Structure formats: structure tokens, C-alpha cells
Amino acid sequence: MSPPTPRLRRALLVLTPRLRRALLVLTPCLRRAPLVLTTALAALLCALAPLPAAADGSAGTAPAVGDGPAAADTAPADWTARPAGGGADRDARPYVYLEGTPGTALQDRLAVTNSGRAPLTVRLRGDGRAGAWIGFAADTVTVPARTRAEVPLALTVPPDAVPGDASGEVVADDGDEEVRVPVRVRIGGPTLAALTVEDVEISGGTIRYALVNRGNAMLEPRLAVRADGVFGTLLDRPERPLPLELAPGRRVERTEPWPDAPALDAVTVRLRVTAPGGARDEAEASATYVPVDPAVGGGLLVLGGLALLGSVAYRRRRTRRGDPEPPDTETGGTEPPGAETADDRQPTTETRPLVKAGPLVKAGAES
């Protein structure tokens, strides 16, 4: 390589200051270059990497609610069954209500709504007293997805049905769960409200009893409780409504709590039940409360025995006081008219001869 010519040397001398300034300007950029390149490379790798949801061809789409077994277990039921309605109050009735006389056929409809994504098959049946009178246009119904179907039903009141109220249910079952629709029937004719309270028992702090609807009308009973002991009233609960509806012919066993029952007493509990329509009845039961602690019970038995002995002794003393007693001559006591004296009952042999011999002795002395 030949040495630089004088012209080249002069050019290099001129360019050297410019190169130095250029290098000073480029040095910070060169220092930041690795960081910039690293950031750019990471962004490129993220853009090229496949998304997790893209594996099944649904990148960027969230899974639908109800897809998969876990979601199906927690998701609410996707079908309903209720009385069919029309207009603004469509399917708004809480129960099926029908009225008729014995021997008549009453008609209504049941709406089954399938809001799921697959066809639904349900089986229909009646339950309860009024449910046994129901017949369906089809006992098994298949409802397509996102479809509402109405199933006609007919309720035939038996000719010998007693006038009043009857109740039951329509049951729709899809194999996994069932939906119950209440049914109420008012049977025409004279109604009779009759209610009885039976089988009253007292067991510790609990009062047991049974209510029976002896009439043909639906009853809403009310109950009043009173308990009397040896020394007065122990419990007095005013009349209050019970949380139940008693259908005709139905019997319900219930309990009444008595947490402050006495430890020692003989009590009589009286129950009074009433219902609209003039239904009314009363019943009572008695019980004796004795402490179960052996020490206390033994002490009470001892006290009872002493009281019994004292009562017997007192009666014997009264009996002895009732016997007749001799008169008190020193105090001047008098006998009642007609009463026998001690001399009349048993005269002595010593006094009577002296009374008779007195005059004889005196006469002999004078002679």
C-alpha cells in the first residue's frame, strides 16, 4: 500500500474534526441500540406466537355460559312449567284454579317453556286429591329448543265429590328434576266448616296435638293455649293463626313448645282451635310434673309421707274429741234434757241401803 499523497493528507485533516463530532452524536444512539433491539424482538415474538384459543379455531371468542359439564351443574334450570295465560298476564298465574259442580269436566292449559339449546322431553302427571282427577292431552311432551308449548288438561270432578275445596298438583319431570304446579278446585254446593283438635299430650316442655278438617271447606286454623296448675295459671297464650292450610279430610300433627314448664305441679292444658266459617273445638290433657333428681324426688316423697301421717293423726284426734264425756260437777255443768246421769246408768249398792236404813235406825232409838 502506497503512502497517502499530500492532497489526501489535507483532506483527512479537514474531515477529522467532522468525524469526531459525528461519532460524539452517534455514541448515545449506539448505546441505546441493544435495548431498542431487545424490545422490538420481544414484541415480534409475541405477535408471532399462537394464541391459546386459536387451537380450536375460536381465537378471541369467550366460551358461552352453560358450555361444559361444570357450567351445566351450576347453571339454573333452562325450562319452566306453569299455568298458561294470554295477553299481558301470560303465564303469570301462580296456580291452576277451577270451579265446578260434582260430575263436571273443567279444562285448562299448562305451558312448558324450553329456553335451552336442545329439545326437551317432560312427563306429566297429577298428584294429590285434585291431581288424581286430572287428565292430559299427552302424558309425554317434547318441546323443541327455545320453544314454548301449551298442553291441554281436563279435570273431571267426581259425581260423589263433597262440595268445598280440593287441592292437588301437576308434576312435570324431565328425568333430572321436576316442577310442581299447584291446583285448587272449588266444588259447588253447600259448604261446611268443621275442625277438631285431638290426641292432646304433654311431654316435658312440649304439647302435642292433632288437627283434623272434618268439613268440606279449606280451613286456616287459629290456636289458643292455656295451662292451669295447683296454685293458678301457668300459661296463657292468646289466639293466633297457624302457618298452614287444612284441606278437607286432612289430619296434621303439630307441637306447641312450653320451655318454662313447671318442675313440680299438677297441670291441666286446654287447647282451643277456631277457623273462619264457625269451626271451633276444644280439648284438654293433664300431667303431673315431678323432679327427676333422686335427691329432690326423695325429699319430696318424705315431705309427702310426713304430711300424710300428720293428716291421719289429726283425723284420729278429731274422732276422739267427738266421744261423750261425763259432766263436770265442780264447775256446775248441766246435762242436756233427757240425758242420763252417772247414777241412772249404774247405781251403787253402798248408797241405796244407807238411804233406806236411815229411818229404821232413828225409829229404834225413839222406841
Side-chain angles (χ1 to χ4, degrees):
M1 182 176 180
S2 59
T5 61
R7 184 178 293 179
L8 182 57
R9 290 178 180 177
R10 289 195 295 271
L12 291 175
L13 292 175
V14 174
L15 293 175
T16 298
R18 296 179 180 178
L19 290 174
R20 290 178 179 176
R21 289 194 296 271
L23 290 174
L24 291 175
V25 173
L26 293 175
T27 297
C29 296
L30 293 175
R31 290 176 180 175
R32 292 193 299 268
L35 180 59
V36 174
L37 291 175
T38 301
T39 304
L41 181 59
L44 181 61
L45 292 176
C46 291
L48 294 178
L51 295 176
D56 57 355
S58 58
T61 303
V65 176
D67 294 343
D73 294 340
T74 58
D78 55 0
W79 67 278
T80 60
R82 60 187 61 185
D89 60 344
R90 183 168 182 171
D91 300 350
R93 291 185 296 164
Y95 51 83
V96 175
Y97 180 78
L98 300 170
E99 293 184 358
T101 57
T104 59
L106 310 175
Q107 297 182 354
D108 209 317
R109 293 170 298 158
L110 182 72
V112 180
T113 303
N114 179 15
S115 58
R117 300 180 179 180
L120 171 71
T121 300
V122 297
R123 290 176 295 276
L124 304 176
R125 61 181 176 87
D127 190 18
R129 181 188 176 194
W133 304 341
I134 299 176
F136 302 93
D139 294 336
T140 303
V141 180
T142 300
V143 184
R146 303 185 183 279
T147 304
R148 174 180 177 275
E150 293 187 359
V151 183
L153 61 89
L155 187 148
T156 303
V157 182
D160 58 348
V162 179
D165 298 328
S167 62
E169 291 177 323
V170 171
V171 182
D173 186 359
D174 69 343
D176 295 329
E177 61 178 339
E178 62 181 29
V179 177
R180 293 179 173 266
V181 180
V183 178
R184 295 184 180 179
V185 182
R186 172 61 61 87
I187 305 172
T191 59
L192 173 64
L195 177 65
T196 59
V197 54
E198 305 173 358
D199 301 335
V200 181
E201 296 180 357
I202 308 172
S203 176
T206 303
I207 304 171
R208 306 178 184 276
Y209 63 98
L211 296 178
V212 184
N213 187 344
R214 300 293 184 180
N216 56 18
M218 187 76 68
L219 299 180
E220 297 179 357
R222 302 173 63 89
L223 175 69
V225 183
R226 180 184 177 90
D228 295 318
V230 176
F231 301 102
T233 301
L234 302 175
L235 179 65
D236 190 3
R237 294 178 182 173
E239 187 176 86
R240 73 183 193 279
L242 297 178
L244 62 90
E245 286 188 347
L246 204 58
R250 184 184 177 192
R251 174 190 173 93
V252 177
E253 295 182 356
R254 294 182 55 84
T255 59
E256 183 77 8
W258 190 7
D260 52 350
L264 175 64
D265 207 340
V267 301
T268 299
V269 175
R270 295 178 177 85
L271 303 183
R272 185 181 72 252
V273 293
T274 60
R280 178 187 178 91
D281 191 29
E282 293 185 3
E284 66 179 35
S286 300
T288 302
Y289 287 86
V290 178
V292 296
D293 189 351
V296 177
L300 293 176
L301 290 177
V302 171
L303 292 177
L306 293 176
L308 179 61
L309 292 176
S311 177
V312 173
Y314 178 75
R315 290 180 179 178
R316 289 182 177 178
R317 186 177 180 184
R318 291 292 301 272
T319 303
R320 291 176 180 176
R321 288 183 178 180
D323 294 338
E325 297 179 357
D328 189 357
T329 58
E330 296 180 357
T331 58
T334 59
E335 293 291 336
E340 293 182 298
T341 62
D343 295 336
D344 295 337
R345 290 195 301 267
Q346 186 65 34
T348 61
T349 58
E350 298 179 356
T351 56
R352 289 185 177 182
L354 289 176
V355 173
K356 295 180 178 180
L360 295 178
V361 173
K362 186 175 180 181
E366 293 178 352
S367 59

